[in-house]
Amino acid sequence: MAIQKSLSLAFLLFFLPFLSSSHATISSATAGLPEAEALLKWKASLSPAQVLHSWSLPATNASTNTVSPCKWTGISCNSLGSVTEISLPSAGLQGKLDNLSFPSFPNLVHLNLSGNTLTGTIPAHIGALYKLMSLDLSANSISGSIPLDIGNLGNLNELDLSINHLDGSIPSTLGNLSKLSILNLYQNRFSGSIPPQIGNLKELVQLSLFQNNLTGPIPPALGNLRNLTLLFLYSNQISGSIPPQFGNLMNLNILELSGNILTGSIPSTLGNLTKLTVLGLIQNQISGSIPPELGNLMSLNILALYRNNLTGPIPPALGNLRNLTQLFLYSNQISGSIPPQFGNLMNLNNVDLADNILTGSIPSTLGNLTKL
């Protein structure tokens, strides 16, 4: 009996590598089949598109075990033949996402369907793409709300749903996407307030929510986004004041809050943003005086504060902004005289101080501004 057990064990040890190898070969040969079927089902639901001509089954006398979508247009696979990328930007696709079975793609890393004519909604089962790192559905005609399940995409680095017809509120579950660096939701119809959970996205570099119907205040939690370089919230209906916590955004390059109904004063903490090149606060209801701390923004190219309720004098410290090319302070209630320090702004090519209550004489130092 002992000899028989030893022989059985030896048999298993000898043949196990071959059995494993055979199983791997079969799996590799059939790995693409469910994914191919899912893609073909989606293709059948779309209007005919020439770009999808290669998406087809082999001849009827061929073995279905060899079906693989890996050489189809817009499809990339890993070494085992499983789909890792679907990239069909501006491919003339017309139809919906409903018939694309996202759970059939367990290894999908990149999905780019931007610039097409896709309609309908974003299916909730998109939350099954746990390995997804980039999702770009921008520039389509997708409607409805963002499904809460999108918060399951824990590996997502880029999310672009801009230029669609999406509505409803921005889901707080986006705050779960801790690896997200780019969040583009601009030019949609989102309403409600900005969820404070966005402040959890510590890796975020770009936040673009402009041209929506967002209301309510700016969450102070956005001041936690220390890696943020671009913040676009303009053309909404955002109210309340600018959070002083924005002074923590030390890597910010562009801050655009124009075209809202912001009130209160410009926080002096914005003077900490030494990498800022553009500060746009146009057409709000901001009051109080211009903080002299803005004179610390030595990288600033554009300072646009027009159409607000600003009062008090122009700080002479703005004369420190040697890289400034455009200065717009018109349509406020700014008083006092034009600082002679403006003569230091040698790169200035456009300045507008009209429609204020300025007094005094025009300083002769403005003659230094040869690029004006």
Side-chain angles (χ1 to χ4, degrees):
M1 182 65 71
I3 294 173
Q4 185 177 359
K5 286 183 178 178
S6 298
L7 288 173
S8 299
L9 180 59
F11 176 85
L12 287 172
L13 290 173
F14 179 78
F15 281 102
L16 188 58
F18 295 96
L19 291 170
S20 300
S21 175
S22 174
H23 177 73
T25 303
I26 294 171
S27 297
S28 178
T30 60
L33 185 56
E35 296 173 329
E37 289 176 342
L39 290 170
L40 289 173
K41 181 181 178 182
W42 185 50
K43 176 187 175 182
S45 74
L46 301 172
S47 297
Q50 183 61 33
V51 72
L52 302 182
H53 178 72
S54 63
W55 290 25
S56 60
L57 291 171
T60 54
N61 59 351
S63 170
T64 56
N65 284 342
T66 61
V67 172
S68 171
C70 298
K71 293 185 179 180
W72 293 357
T73 300
I75 304 299
S76 298
C77 298
N78 60 19
S79 59
L80 295 177
S82 183
V83 174
T84 56
E85 182 172 356
I86 303 174
S87 183
L88 293 164
S90 303
L93 304 181
Q94 298 182 44
K96 299 181 178 181
L97 293 172
D98 303 65
N99 291 314
L100 181 56
S101 175
F102 293 116
S104 299
F105 303 95
N107 295 303
L108 196 65
V109 177
H110 302 289
L111 177 59
N112 184 353
L113 301 175
S114 62
N116 287 289
T117 317
L118 297 174
T119 57
T121 60
I122 301 174
H125 57 78
I126 200 170
L129 300 176
Y130 299 114
K131 292 186 179 180
L132 201 66
M133 295 179 64
S134 65
L135 174 59
D136 191 346
L137 302 178
S138 63
N140 280 285
S141 298
I142 300 170
S143 59
S145 57
I146 300 176
L148 297 177
D149 305 68
I150 211 162
N152 298 333
L153 307 180
N155 287 299
L156 207 60
N157 183 260
E158 299 181 16
L159 175 60
D160 195 339
L161 304 178
S162 61
I163 318 176
N164 278 288
H165 305 313
L166 295 166
D167 56 24
S169 58
I170 298 172
S172 60
T173 53
L174 291 184
N176 299 336
L177 307 180
S178 58
K179 296 182 181 179
L180 206 63
S181 63
I182 295 176
L183 177 56
N184 290 335
L185 303 180
Y186 61 87
Q187 290 185 34
N188 277 286
R189 300 169 182 171
F190 292 116
S191 58
S193 57
I194 301 169
Q197 290 83 357
I198 299 293
N200 298 335
L201 306 180
K202 301 298 179 62
E203 301 299 319
L204 208 60
V205 174
Q206 179 175 323
L207 177 58
S208 297
L209 307 180
F210 63 88
Q211 291 183 15
N212 279 288
N213 299 313
L214 296 172
T215 57
I218 300 172
L222 296 191
N224 298 331
L225 306 177
R226 304 297 178 97
N227 289 308
L228 206 62
T229 62
L230 305 176
L231 177 55
F232 297 115
L233 303 181
Y234 66 87
S235 296
N236 280 285
Q237 300 173 45
I238 299 169
S239 59
S241 58
I242 301 170
Q245 291 86 350
F246 273 15
N248 298 329
L249 306 178
M250 302 296 288
N251 287 298
L252 206 59
N253 185 258
I254 299 178
L255 175 58
E256 251 297 356
L257 307 178
S258 302
N260 284 288
I261 46 176
L262 294 169
T263 55
S265 59
I266 300 172
S268 61
T269 53
L270 294 189
N272 299 335
L273 309 181
T274 55
K275 295 182 180 179
L276 206 63
T277 60
V278 176
L279 176 57
L281 304 178
I282 303 163
Q283 202 166 337
N284 279 284
Q285 298 174 22
I286 299 170
S287 59
S289 58
I290 300 170
E293 289 82 0
L294 295 189
N296 299 332
L297 307 180
M298 306 300 286
S299 299
L300 206 61
N301 299 136
I302 300 174
L303 177 58
L305 308 179
Y306 63 86
R307 291 182 182 160
N308 278 288
N309 299 316
L310 295 171
T311 56
I314 300 172
L318 295 190
N320 298 332
L321 305 178
R322 305 298 177 95
N323 288 306
L324 205 63
T325 60
Q326 300 182 53
L327 175 60
F328 300 116
L329 304 180
Y330 67 86
S331 295
N332 279 285
Q333 301 173 44
I334 299 170
S335 59
S337 59
I338 300 172
Q341 291 85 350
F342 272 19
N344 299 328
L345 305 178
M346 302 296 290
N347 287 298
L348 206 61
N349 58 53
N350 199 344
V351 58
D352 196 335
L353 310 178
D355 195 18
N356 281 289
I357 48 176
L358 294 169
T359 56
S361 60
I362 298 173
S364 60
T365 53
L366 295 190
N368 299 335
L369 308 182
T370 56
K371 296 182 180 180
L372 207 57

